[in-house]
Amino acid sequence: MDTPIPAAGRDFIRQIIDADLAAGKHVNVVTRFPPEPNGYLHIGHAKAICLNFGLAAEFGSQVPARCHLRFDDTNPEKEEQEYIDAIEADVRWLGFDWGEHLYHASDYFQKLYDYSEELIQQGLAYVDDQSAEEIRATRGTLTEPGTDSPWRNRSVEENLDLFRRMRAGEFADGSRVLRGRIDMASPNLNMRDPALWRIRRAPHPRTGDAWLIYPMYDFTHPLSDALEYITHSICTLEFENHRPLYDWAVDNVSVPCKPRQIEFARLNLSYTVMSKRKLLFLVKEGHVDGWDDPRMPTLSGLRRRGYTPEAIRDFCERIGVAKRDSMVDVQLLEHCLREDLNRRAQRRMAVVDPLPLSIENWEEGRVDWLEAVNNPEDASAGTRQVPFTGELFIEREDFVEDPPKKWFRLSPGAEVRLRWGYLFTCTQVVKDAQGRVERLVGRIDPESRGGNAPDGRKVKGTIHWVSAAHALDAEVRLYEHLFALEKPGADRDFLEDINPHSLKCVTHCKLEAALAEATPELPVQFERLGYFVRDSRAPGLVFNRTVTLRDTWAKEAVKG
RNA sequence: UACCCCGUGGUGUAAUGGCAACACCUCAGGUUUUGGUCCUGAUGUUCCUGGUUCGAGUCCGGGCGGGGUAGCCA
C-alpha cells in the first residue's frame, strides 16, 4: 500500500478491510449485493447497495475491486420475474453498475447439489424423514437442547441414495429434507442440524421445473459467496447468529475460498416501515397505490416522488455504518434532498389554492413580459420571461384580513411584492354571500417594475402569482409521511398508525405556462411552496410534491 | 430466564489509552426580491459500578438496559 489510510474516522467494516489488505490476507476486494427477488428495493436496501458498491469503488483505487449483483433466488414460492427486473432497474437508477457480474444463486444449484454429496460422504449431512412438525418439536428451545433425529445415523450409501431420489422427484413435497449433521445440543439454534435442502414442486422464475428440491439460504449463501470469490460478505445483524453456520459450510466443502461474513445494523427510518412483509401488505391491501406509490420508502416510490439518486447516496453516506440498532430521523433524509434540489431545481411559480386578484390601475389587455431568474443558486440556469397581466391568481394562504404579529404577506392596505413583478397594495376585499373572500382588488406601483421601488422603500413580503389568462390548470398531489407516528406499530397494529393525511390531491391549481414542458426526470421548485416533479404515471398535468421548503414562518405561527 | 450482538447530546456517526467532535434537529441573531438558500452564535453527550493506568468514552470484572435467535423464509 503506497498511501496508508488512517483508521480514524473510518467505519468498522472499512477498518476490517484495511487490516485484511495490510496483512496480505487479500490482494483484492470483492463484495456483493444479494437481494431476494420477492419485493421491491427500499431505502434500507439503498444503504446496503451504497455500502457494497461504494466499498468496491473506493478500494478500487488501491487494489482490484468489484461488487456483484446476485439474486438470492432459492425460494420459488415467493419470487417473481417482476421483482428481478425492478431490482436491476433500481440499482442502476441509484447509480451503480455491476458490469459483467450479474449472478443468480439458482445458477449454482448443481454445484450446491454436488457439495451436498460431499457433505454426505463425510458424514456431515443426512436425509431426515421427519415432518416439519417433528423437526420443530425435537429442535429443543432457547434454553433446552434438541434431540437427535431417528434418521441421524443412516449410512452414507443410504443418504446418497435417498438424496438422489429426492432430487429425482420420488418423494412428496415436505416429506424429507437434507440436514446438516452438526450438533443438536448447540446453544446456537442454527447449528442444530439445519435443513439444507427441501422438496418443493414449484416452478422457479429462472430454472423452471428443472429442480424439485431447493437449497436453503444458510447453505446457498456462503457457498455462492465462495464460488464468486467474495472477500467480504456484508449482511445485516439478524444474520449474526448464522455466521457459525456460514463458516461451517465454507469449511466443509471444497470451495475455492473462504469469504468472511460481516454484519452491520440495518436502517430504520422514523415515520415509515421498512420490512418487505409490511410493504407488500400495504400494496396488496390497497393502502397505497402500488410499490411505486410516492409515499412508499421504496426506491421506485422515492423516484416517482422526486427524490434524486444523489440525495439518497449522500444520505447513505451520512448515516454511517455501525452495529448498534438505531432509528434515523427522516428529517436527515429530507435535509439531504433539499440540499440537492436547492442546487439543481429550476424555480417556477405555481398557485395551489388560487385566489383571484385584480389590478385596478392596469390597462385592460396589456401583457408585460417580466424576466425571472430560473435558479438563484446557479447562474447558468439563466432566466425566462413570465407574463404579467391585470388579472392574477395568488395563493389564498398569502392573504389574511386580520394579520397576526410579524405577518408580512398580503392584508388590506399592506404592500407586498409580486415576485419579479410590481409592488402591490390591496385596496378592496370582495366576498361572497357566505362571507368567504372571493377576490382581491388593488393597485400596483407602476414605477416598481421588477420589484423595486424607485424611492428605495423596503417591502419585506414577496408572494408568488400566476397570470390568469396564461395559467395552466393542473392537479397537484401533496404528500405527508405515510405514518403519523415515529415508530409505526410500536404499540398496536402498524396499519392503525397510517397518517390519514398522507395524500391530498388538489385539482385546478394554476401553473406558470413554462411548466407545460415539465418532465418526471426534472425536479422543479414551486417558489415558496416546495420541490415538485411531474408524475410519471398519471396522464395530463399532474405534479407530486417531493418535499416542502423549510418553513420557519409555520413554526412562528404555531408559537402564536 | 440459553446463546450472540450492542450501549457516546433529542437523532445519527466520530474520537483506535492523552483537550469528547461532526452532521441533522431545536433555539437566537444577521443577509435576502422565495418567511427558501447562505452566514454567525447558543443549548445539549460518554448507562451504572469496581479495577488496571500518570491518564479510561476507549482496556478488564460485575451489574443494568436494548436488540437478535426456537421457518422445510431470506
Side-chain angles (χ1 to χ4, degrees), chain A residues 271-273 282 481-485 488 494-495 497-499 502:
Chain A
Y271 296 98
T272 191
V273 294
L282 290 171
H481 299 141
L482 222 205
F483 292 91
L485 260 42
F494 80 106
L495 291 178
D497 294 332
I498 288 183
N499 175 7
S502 64

Side-chain angles (χ1 to χ4, degrees), chain A residues 322-367:
Chain A
K323 293 195 73 163
R324 111 174 76 148
D325 280 305
S326 58
M327 165 117 75
V328 177
D329 193 334
V330 71
Q331 286 183 103
L332 178 60
L333 213 211
E334 293 173 344
H335 168 82
C336 295
L337 216 214
R338 290 190 181 105
E339 195 173 79
D340 185 44
L341 259 16
N342 177 52
R343 269 194 298 264
R344 68 203 299 177
Q346 290 210 4
R347 274 61 170 172
R348 295 290 184 268
M349 291 199 282
V351 175
V352 169
D353 187 8
L355 176 63
L357 176 152
S358 306
I359 299 167
E360 295 173 309
N361 58 337
W362 190 265
E363 182 193 334
E364 171 115 28
R366 178 179 164 218
V367 179

Side-chain angles (χ1 to χ4, degrees), chain A residues 53 58 60 134 136 145 148 153 164 185 226 253 260-261 292 348 358 361 380 394 427 433 442 459 512-513 554:
Chain A
F53 280 94
E58 281 169 49
E134 289 169 317
R136 190 182 313 125
D148 288 0
N153 294 313
R164 287 170 184 166
V253 301
R260 169 173 177 184
Q261 175 178 303
D292 67 346
R348 295 290 184 268
S358 306
N361 58 337
S380 73
I394 65 160
T427 55
V459 173
E512 179 183 330

